[in-house]
């Protein structure tokens, strides 16, 4: 299903060619003082606010969404900035966030084991995932497309029937493209998959348009994003299913960031570097 968000973003990032290169982890947030007292005793938010640190799982190899180069101290991208907004409402400053790399396949297990407190990692909300973890949101909506060599004739998913298309194990993207009739090849990370496109091992790579545009913008001479979005990916914030009270706090904090401009600022700093306007924030799912 085509979303306007995906299409507008597709057009503007492709035109800009600069996604994710100069961004900073710098959304301007008020770190609440005395945050702990505003949460009930026994809630996970109270515990986190009292301990003054939080572990947030993000991607490290997706420019514009979640990226940390070898010499970078902290990851940049829309997801880390959303994490910074959430942490601030617990009274936790950006410097006190512990960023943990999550890949697509370990997001549920990292939440289940407590390796991370939150996952904000291009993490689509699905019914299957909501069986094992909590997912609040969505805070962003994109759709699945294809990344191909700049000189490829492939124009959309109808052109990759029976052909090898790579994506990442544990993602919605791999299942979706198989259902569209391509031969899926799963890798651990999108950066491994994009290398297969560059060396011609696969016909295309597929995942969310917002992710593909980041790669294309870094290498516009060799890569392009094609086709209408053929899925709807609603990015949620993952939390432990044992702490259902986190849903209300996440939704409330996201809603505040939609209203006070910090969500828009985070978007403009990262995915929207070239957008005149950030998209309308999505409607949040009610908590169960
Ligand atoms: N948003 C999709 C998912 O959550 C694809 C991107 C990713 O693997 O992070 O599976």
């Amino acid at each position: 299903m085509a979303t306007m968000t995906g299409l507008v973003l597709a057009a503007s990032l492709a035109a800009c060619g600069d996604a994710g290169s100069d961004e900073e982890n710098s959304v301007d947030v008020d770190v609440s003082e005395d945050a702990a007292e505003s949460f009930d005793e026994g809630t996970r938010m109270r515990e986190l606010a009292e301990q003054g640190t939080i572990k947030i799982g993000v991607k490290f190899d997706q420019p514009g969404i979640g990226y940390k180069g070898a010499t970078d101290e902290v990851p940049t991208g829309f997801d880390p900035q959303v994490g910074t907004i959430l942490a601030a409402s617990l009274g936790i400053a950006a410097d006190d966030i512990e960023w943990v790399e999550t890949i697509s396949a370990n997001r549920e297990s990292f939440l289940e084991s407590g390796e991370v407190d939150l996952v904000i990692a291009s993490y689509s909300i699905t019914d299957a995932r909501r069986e094992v973890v909590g997912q609040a949101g969505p805070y962003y909506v994109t759709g699945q497309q294809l990344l191909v060599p700049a000189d490829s004739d492939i124009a959309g998913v109808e052109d990759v029937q029976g052909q090898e298309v790579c994506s990442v194990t544990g993602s919605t993207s791999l299942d979706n493209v198989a259902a569209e009739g391509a031969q899926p090849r799963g890798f651990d990370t999108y950066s491994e998959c994009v290398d297969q496109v560059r060396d011609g091992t696969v016909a295309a790579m597929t995942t969310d348009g917002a992710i593909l545009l980041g790669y294309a913008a870094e290498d516009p001479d060799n890569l392009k994003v094609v086709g209408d979005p053929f899925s709807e990916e609603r990015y949620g914030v993952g939390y432990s299913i044992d702490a259902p009270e986190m849903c209300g706090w996440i939704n409330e904090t996201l809603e505040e960031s939609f209203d006070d401009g910090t969500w828009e600022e985070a978007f403009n700093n990262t995915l929207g570097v070239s957008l005149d306007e950030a998209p309308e924030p999505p409607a949040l799912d009610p908590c169960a």
Side-chain angles (χ1 to χ4, degrees):
M1 213 134 314
T3 64
M4 276 317 288
T5 309
L7 293 175
V8 171
L9 180 65
S12 45
L13 281 186
C16 154
D18 190 28
S21 54
D22 289 320
E23 61 198 45
E24 300 244 320
N25 199 31
S26 61
V27 63
D28 192 14
V29 283
D30 287 331
V31 180
S32 340
E33 295 199 0
D34 307 324
E37 283 86 82
S38 60
F39 298 104
D40 289 342
E41 293 263 10
T43 61
R44 188 70 188 125
M45 293 80 79
R46 175 92 176 213
E47 276 169 22
L48 291 167
E50 279 174 353
Q51 84 188 18
T53 59
I54 186 167
K55 291 175 283 186
I56 304 181
V58 295
K59 296 294 184 78
F60 277 11
D61 68 342
Q62 296 174 192
I65 305 250
Y67 184 83
K68 185 170 176 292
T71 56
D72 296 336
E73 278 183 17
V74 290
T76 52
F78 189 45
D79 285 343
Q81 296 209 6
V82 170
T84 303
I85 291 169
L86 287 165
S89 79
L90 298 172
I92 300 172
D95 285 351
D96 294 318
I97 299 171
E98 187 186 328
W99 301 106
V100 178
E101 182 177 18
T102 45
I103 58 170
S104 296
N106 67 19
R107 291 174 292 194
E108 287 82 41
S109 61
F110 272 31
L111 284 169
E112 287 175 298
S113 64
E115 209 128 344
V116 295
D117 301 302
L118 297 176
V119 165
I120 313 176
S122 56
Y123 196 22
S124 299
I125 296 173
T126 71
D127 291 344
R129 290 174 179 161
R130 277 185 166 161
E131 295 281 315
V132 280
V133 297
Q135 289 189 303
Y139 61 89
Y140 181 63
V141 181
T142 178
Q144 187 167 340
Q145 292 177 284
L146 298 174
L147 182 76
V148 295
D151 59 0
S152 169
D153 293 333
I154 293 169
V157 74
E158 55 292 344
D159 297 331
V160 293
Q161 302 297 306
Q163 298 197 52
E164 283 205 316
V165 175
C166 69
S167 195
V168 162
T169 312
S171 68
T172 53
S173 319
L174 205 59
D175 296 341
N176 291 342
V177 81
E180 295 284 340
Q183 288 286 325
R185 284 204 58 197
F187 290 86
D188 283 343
T189 59
Y190 290 105
S191 38
E192 290 169 88
C193 180
V194 78
D195 289 343
Q196 309 296 310
V197 179
R198 284 207 182 89
D199 68 18
T201 316
V202 296
M205 158 174 172
T206 187
T207 186
D208 309 337
I211 299 173
L212 298 179
L213 288 160
Y215 289 118
E218 289 211 318
D219 191 7
D221 292 342
N222 296 307
L223 299 170
K224 64 180 178 186
V225 178
V226 294
D228 289 334
F230 55 93
S231 75
E232 186 180 66
E233 306 299 320
R234 303 163 64 244
Y235 286 0
V237 178
Y239 57 92
S240 165
I241 206 161
D242 298 329
E245 69 276 14
M246 289 182 106
C247 181
W249 157 66
I250 295 167
N251 269 5
E252 212 172 284
T253 310
L254 288 176
E255 200 68 66
E256 269 168 33
S257 76
F258 296 167
D259 293 344
D260 70 12
T262 45
W263 177 88
E264 187 176 334
E265 187 194 335
F267 185 88
N268 288 338
N269 285 344
T270 57
L271 281 178
V273 278
S274 67
L275 284 178
D276 289 337
E277 273 179 59
E280 277 299 306
L284 300 172
D285 293 349
C287 297

